[in-house]
Amino acid sequence: MFNQKFKTQLHECIREIEDYPKAGILFRDITPLINHPTLFAKLIDNLKLRYQHHSIDFVVGIEARGFILGAALAYALGAGFVPVRKKGKLPFKTIRVDYQLEYGVDSLEIHTDALREIKDARVLLVDDLIATGGTALASLELLDRLQAKCLEACFLIGLRELGGLEKVGEKVNVFSVLEYPC
Ligand code: AMP
């Protein structure tokens, strides 16, 4: 599925921006990857192969780049898509969890009816990148509170040195397509 050649191609399309959004952060910009038509499609096709036999009810994408990957994957899997958003962005009734970012503190919310009252809904959590794991852990807490069954947390990029892969891995299965440092 994700062989070394394909991973190298993906890696080459992720741009590194120094000191963004603030000093000391090396931002991994996936826009060159998602505007590459065959590479983006192949990424989603390969993720589909990984999850297609897991009867996923919902792909849950984390704002903002998790929406891009998550919505495309939800479509490919024939699953629903659920957004987890920053505070105040969702229009209906929400539940909220506060969390720590690599660069700041924030809150995440999900609609109370996001899982359409499906009992033990089978969900896949998706984001572009995991660093400290705070965002993913907060999202998992939201999903716990909605009594979802999270089958895996899936990321395009895992920043191994920031510890999030291990922390989130204590709660659920974790998969990251690319791990940095390589
Ligand atoms: P964390 O909660 O520390 O795991 O941070 C993950 C979230 O912050 C994801 O939604 C990422 O999109 C974003 N993020 C954190 N660090 C970076 C980075 N170096 N480059 C791009 N996005 C990042």
Side-chain angles (χ1 to χ4, degrees):
M1 268 193 277
F2 289 102
N3 60 33
Q4 199 49 51
K5 182 174 170 224
F6 181 41
K7 286 191 194 184
T8 302
Q9 286 174 323
L10 290 171
H11 174 74
E12 284 169 359
C13 279
I14 294 166
R15 181 163 53 192
E16 296 184 347
I17 317 259
E18 282 179 24
D19 298 325
Y20 181 88
K22 62 185 199 188
I25 303 292
L26 181 63
F27 191 85
R28 316 285 171 154
D29 175 20
I30 65 164
T31 59
L33 192 165
I34 59 177
N35 79 18
H36 189 299
T38 54
L39 217 50
F40 185 36
K42 194 170 167 189
L43 170 65
I44 299 301
D45 289 347
N46 276 278
L47 290 173
K48 177 186 173 181
L49 287 177
R50 182 174 176 87
Y51 296 113
Q52 63 188 348
H53 300 303
H54 288 78
S55 306
I56 305 284
D57 295 308
F58 300 99
V59 176
V60 177
I62 304 173
E63 185 169 356
R65 292 169 295 282
F67 294 174
I68 299 164
L69 303 177
L73 182 57
Y75 176 79
L77 290 171
F81 176 76
V82 172
V84 165
R85 298 209 64 180
K86 305 279 169 62
K87 187 162 98 183
K89 298 281 188 173
L90 287 169
F92 185 61
K93 269 186 255 164
T94 58
I95 53 172
R96 178 188 303 171
V97 166
D98 296 327
Y99 71 108
Q100 189 80 36
L101 259 185
E102 190 187 356
Y103 39 84
V105 178
D106 219 332
S107 306
L108 286 178
E109 296 180 339
I110 194 168
H111 274 151
T112 53
D113 67 348
L115 307 181
R116 288 194 274 112
E117 295 182 17
I118 295 176
K119 200 172 159 1
D120 301 322
R122 295 169 65 83
V123 308
L124 173 69
L125 183 67
V126 174
D127 204 356
D128 64 328
L129 181 146
I130 178 166
T132 65
T135 310
L137 287 172
S139 303
L140 288 172
E141 193 177 330
L142 290 171
L143 291 172
D144 262 1
R145 283 164 62 180
L146 293 184
Q147 296 181 323
K149 181 173 169 41
C150 183
L151 300 176
E152 193 154 87
C154 170
F155 306 92
L156 173 60
I157 302 161
L159 302 184
R160 214 184 295 130
E161 287 169 344
L162 289 165
L165 287 166
E166 286 76 29
K167 261 193 255 167
V168 175
E170 288 167 14
K171 303 246 172 207
V172 289
N173 292 334
V174 176
F175 173 66
S176 76
V177 177
L178 305 173
E179 284 192 19
Y180 293 168
C182 302

